[in-house]
Amino acid sequence: QVQLVESGGGLVQAGGSLRLSCKASGLIFSINAMGWYRQAPGKEREMVAIIPSGGSTVYADSVKGRFTISRDNAKNMGYLQMNSLKPEDTGVYYCNANIRSSGLESRDYWGQGTQVTVSS
């Protein structure tokens, strides 16, 4: 019923910037928290940033001051602005959203991921 699709990944040099987008589609009554996670090859997925529907954002220490998470509720969109990228930022970035769909309950949904590669 609900699908999340990320876009905006690519190959950039260290110090460059990328803006990731996440589009939620389907039967959506409301979106609670949204977040971005990333996973490097051979490593576990880690939280990058979270933005609640109404509240302050949360960032991983490794990206504080460089990344900015935002959302456009009217468009069911989430964004991650990534500046001053480092090679260690390389990985697959996943969009996550807690969404109330056709039923009363809310659940987490995940996108398919978008590759971000930062070269030295």
Side-chain angles (χ1 to χ4, degrees):
Q1 291 183 319
V2 175
Q3 184 178 28
L4 302 181
V5 179
E6 304 97 333
S7 62
L11 174 64
V12 297
Q13 295 185 39
S17 298
L18 283 175
R19 186 177 189 242
L20 305 184
S21 298
C22 174
K23 173 67 176 179
S25 61
L27 185 56
I28 300 172
F29 290 160
S30 63
I31 301 178
N32 301 310
M34 299 188 71
W36 289 93
Y37 296 73
R38 68 187 181 190
Q39 186 170 23
K43 298 183 178 180
E44 292 190 345
R45 191 173 301 184
E46 64 176 347
M47 185 274 291
V48 176
I50 297 173
I51 181 169
S53 177
S56 59
T57 55
V58 178
Y59 295 94
D61 289 340
S62 60
V63 306
K64 287 181 179 177
R66 300 188 298 119
F67 290 10
T68 303
I69 188 172
S70 61
R71 60 192 290 173
D72 186 334
N73 292 329
K75 298 180 179 180
N76 291 332
M77 294 284 293
Y79 307 94
L80 184 67
Q81 178 67 46
M82 305 185 295
N83 299 325
S84 302
L85 283 163
K86 305 175 181 179
E88 49 263 46
D89 294 319
T90 294
V92 179
Y93 283 68
Y94 298 90
C95 177
N96 169 268
N98 185 264
I99 297 175
R100 180 190 174 196
S101 187
S102 59
L104 293 176
E105 66 278 356
S106 299
R107 56 158 288 189
D108 281 2
Y109 293 84
W110 291 90
Q112 82 292 337
T114 184
Q115 177 70 43
V116 172
T117 303
V118 184
S119 62
S120 301

